[in-house]
Amino acid sequence: MVHKITGTTKLLGVIGHPVEHSLSPVMHNAAIATLGVDYVYLPLPVSPDGLAIALSGFEAIGLQGFSVTLPHKQAIMPLLSEVSVLAQAVGAVNTVYRTESGWGGTNTDVAGFIAPLVNLRDWRQATAVVLGNGGAARAVVAGCHQLGCAQIQVVGRSADKLQVFQNSWRDSPFACNLSVHPWADLPLLLPQADLLINTTPIGMSPHSDQSPLSPAELQKLSAAAIVYDLIYTPRPTQLLQQARAAQGTAQGTAQGFDGSEMLVQQGAAALQIWLQQPVPVEVMRRSLLEHLESQG
Ligand code: NAP
């Protein structure tokens, strides 16, 4: 499907530094072509020094909205005229839209993360174990809170960073039953986990043979535990393969997700904000997965 760009075509895009690796243009332009709307979604390389001036430029050229990737997700927040409560709690904006008084920002990573989970079960009695306490872990904690998880246990390697992480939720509307733990606690935490989420980059291509947990640790998971690895290259990740083997051989069939669905769903949620209409999620998913496969 060829999308004709004309003088009336409206602009969307993604800012990042670097931005060349972004998968968002593939997904968004596939959805735009399917919808037949007069938009195009572009990669917009913006260096940290150029963020404020880029925003003025986007205003001047009438950009309709944009995605935000590293390293701008926090830095952009003070430059926006409104930031959603959710984005404030997560401490990061990944989607910017136009408002009457300037740019507004929100965070669709949370909706993206919970999308494959929300209808799977009743989460109210569930315990989530989150590996890592960086940026993605913040969206995951907010997501687990939205799911209604009874316990959210965050595991990290730095006691200081864990404490800062825990404190940061204290006065937030997402304050919840959150505890922080060193990796050494995992043998105690894993048997109780209903949902195990890897938010560390361990196992990401090119280190595809690595996993944040050993096969012996994964044997401690119950058969019903859902393993969710935020990484999407390679597919499947070593963690998901090992979890499947451990849970399958030990106790039955397990369910797992990689980060591709979160990526698709956060993009779909953003496109819906910009276009104010339902968007073809399946088209976005297919275009992303085909692109990932074509890259090996
Ligand atoms: P980040 O802010 O740098 O956080 C990474 C976390 O992993 C930190 O807590 C870090 O610990 C921990 N970590 C790193 N290496 C470790 C190791 N060897 N052992 C133990 N802990 C380790 O990164 P991020 O933005 O959260 O991203 C994390 C991962 O999520 C990346 O792989 C990214 O691609 C993925 N992600 C996916 C999506 C999606 O849509 N699917 C969205 C966002 C992120 P320290 O703080 O102690 O260094």
Side-chain angles (χ1 to χ4, degrees):
M1 209 175 312
V2 179
H3 173 50
K4 202 161 152 192
I5 295 173
T6 69
T8 61
T9 302
K10 298 187 190 73
L11 304 176
L12 297 168
V14 51
I15 64 165
H17 183 75
V19 79
E20 291 82 356
H21 66 282
S22 174
L23 300 164
S24 295
V26 170
M27 289 193 300
H28 284 289
N29 286 316
I32 285 167
T34 298
L35 289 169
V37 291
D38 192 13
Y39 281 82
V40 64
Y41 183 102
L42 302 166
L44 302 166
V46 174
S47 70
D49 293 350
L51 185 57
I53 200 156
L55 251 69
S56 304
F58 295 160
E59 179 71 39
I61 62 169
L63 197 81
Q64 297 296 301
F66 53 98
S67 312
V68 184
T69 187
L70 300 179
H72 302 308
K73 284 183 165 192
Q74 286 88 35
I76 198 163
M77 293 175 74
L79 304 175
L80 303 173
S81 53
E82 66 181 46
V83 175
S84 70
V85 172
L86 179 61
Q88 286 176 38
V90 173
V93 158
N94 79 332
T95 301
V96 174
Y97 49 88
R98 297 177 77 88
T99 74
E100 285 184 2
S101 57
W103 297 108
T106 191
N107 190 305
T108 65
D109 280 335
V110 180
F113 166 67
I114 65 174
L117 300 174
V118 77
N119 291 322
L120 270 188
R121 55 163 283 176
D122 181 348
W123 292 97
R124 279 174 298 179
Q125 303 298 319
T127 296
V129 173
V130 182
L131 304 178
N133 50 262
R138 300 193 64 80
V140 165
V141 164
C144 290
H145 179 264
Q146 286 193 343
L147 288 172
C149 291
Q151 302 278 341
I152 305 172
Q153 299 170 333
V154 176
V155 181
R157 61 181 173 178
S158 154
D160 291 348
K161 286 185 184 175
L162 280 171
Q163 199 54 57
V164 171
F165 188 92
Q166 185 169 36
N167 292 347
S168 72
W169 296 95
R170 200 171 281 155
D171 299 323
S172 118
F174 291 78
C176 51
N177 224 340
L178 177 89
S179 56
V180 295
H181 304 265
W183 284 79
D185 283 0
L186 277 170
L188 293 173
L189 302 178
L190 289 172
Q192 279 131 45
D194 299 294
L195 176 61
L196 172 73
I197 308 126
N198 175 37
T199 77
T200 79
I202 306 170
M204 188 161 70
S205 187
H207 305 292
S208 310
D209 58 337
Q210 295 180 4
S211 169
L213 297 179
S214 67
E217 286 172 316
L218 287 166
Q219 290 284 349
K220 297 186 188 306
L221 280 178
S222 80
I226 293 163
V227 180
Y228 196 149
D229 195 344
L230 261 51
I231 292 169
Y232 45 84
T233 53
R235 302 187 69 234
T237 61
Q238 184 78 344
L239 172 65
L240 286 173
Q241 289 184 66
Q242 288 178 345
R244 204 175 294 152
Q247 292 175 291
T249 51
Q251 297 140 36
T253 313
Q255 193 151 14
F257 298 99
D258 68 21
S260 62
E261 191 61 14
M262 176 172 170
L263 190 61
V264 169
Q265 297 281 356
Q266 63 76 30
L271 192 59
Q272 202 158 327
I273 290 172
W274 298 318
L275 301 187
Q276 291 292 301
Q277 67 178 90
V279 301
V281 178
E282 179 51 32
V283 168
M284 298 179 81
R285 182 181 297 119
R286 207 178 331 118
S287 65
L288 174 80
L289 297 183
E290 280 174 10
H291 185 75
L292 286 173
E293 271 164 33
S294 73
Q295 296 198 316

